[in-house]
Amino acid sequence: TERRVWRLLQDLAILLCISLAVTPAFKMKFWNIGAEGQVLIGGLATAACSMFLSDSMPTYLLIPVMFIASMVAGAIWAVIPAFFKANWNTNETLFTLMMNYIAIQLVSYFCFIYSVPKGSGKIPLLPKVSWLPTFGDNDYLVNIIIVAVITIGMYIYLKYNKHGYEITVVGESENTAKYIGINVKHVIIRTLILSGAICGIAGLLLVSGTNHTIASNTVGGRGFTAIMVSWLAKFNPITMILTAFIIVFLEKGAGEISTMFGLNRSFSEIITGIIIFFII
């Protein structure tokens, strides 16, 4: 149906956005496994702006403020492990992974504090003034357009921009990068700020553009699936459109099969996992 097609494109857009976010870090061989937490923190910042500023701001002001807040929140969450990596060579894989759990519990805490009814752990729908605009009955078109712009921008950034070149050099050899005068610490921190900011935008798209609320499971594991999307596409933002589509299409189709034949939902995820395993 038309609704299912749009829902497929929406899920594709969100997964692609998170995949684009982790790609610059991966290309630099900084293993950012913390996208799940960075998206959640961006979503939490969006929800906070919606809850506390919607009464005092019109939509045309509130939406830009939410964008800035989500990007800053995501960037801060990503730059903490980047700072430690750049200065003390800490293990970024473990560091970013642990930050996920802190983010999940922070969101759970605030969902409990501001839940309705009190203590239920569920935040009601956010005020409509803070929802991303829609075109007619289509709730998802704005999300898709925003992610399309980010995709083109990331492709240009990595392929034709000086910063993209520096990311590639640092990824291939830090010693070579230092030898030719690239400030490796600066590149690491700058790249993770970008990575976290785009994760923050993904959080805003989920909270303000799709769900209109937030919970600890809002991201739904996409932060980890995005790693696979980025790797399968060999860090090419354009190719990522196809790899993200394949994974989302498999998940939707397998879920439909589970429903039609009365199978457990886990069965569809097992099939998807096996297929992706052999692709890899």
Side-chain angles (χ1 to χ4, degrees), residues 109-210:
Y109 171 76
F110 285 112
C111 284
F112 181 81
I113 294 295
Y114 294 102
S115 59
V116 176
K118 190 72 174 174
S120 66
K122 293 181 180 179
I123 290 181
L125 286 179
L126 299 172
K128 279 200 171 184
V129 69
S130 65
W131 293 11
L132 288 181
T134 58
F135 293 94
D137 295 331
N138 195 318
D139 299 337
Y140 307 130
L141 191 55
V142 171
N143 285 11
I144 294 166
I145 292 170
I146 291 171
V147 175
V149 171
I150 293 173
T151 304
I152 295 167
M154 183 60 72
Y155 179 77
I156 294 169
Y157 179 81
L158 291 176
K159 193 169 179 65
Y160 299 108
N161 189 277
K162 179 189 173 187
H163 289 180
Y165 169 74
E166 290 178 344
I167 287 170
T168 303
V169 174
V170 171
E172 289 177 356
S173 170
E174 284 193 19
N175 290 331
T176 302
K178 290 174 182 175
Y179 180 75
I180 62 175
I182 295 174
N183 188 331
V184 174
K185 290 183 180 181
H186 180 76
V187 172
I188 290 172
I189 290 174
R190 181 186 68 208
T191 303
L192 265 292
I193 288 174
L194 174 66
S195 186
I198 297 176
C199 279
I201 292 175
L204 177 136
L205 296 180
L206 279 170
V207 172
S208 180
T210 307

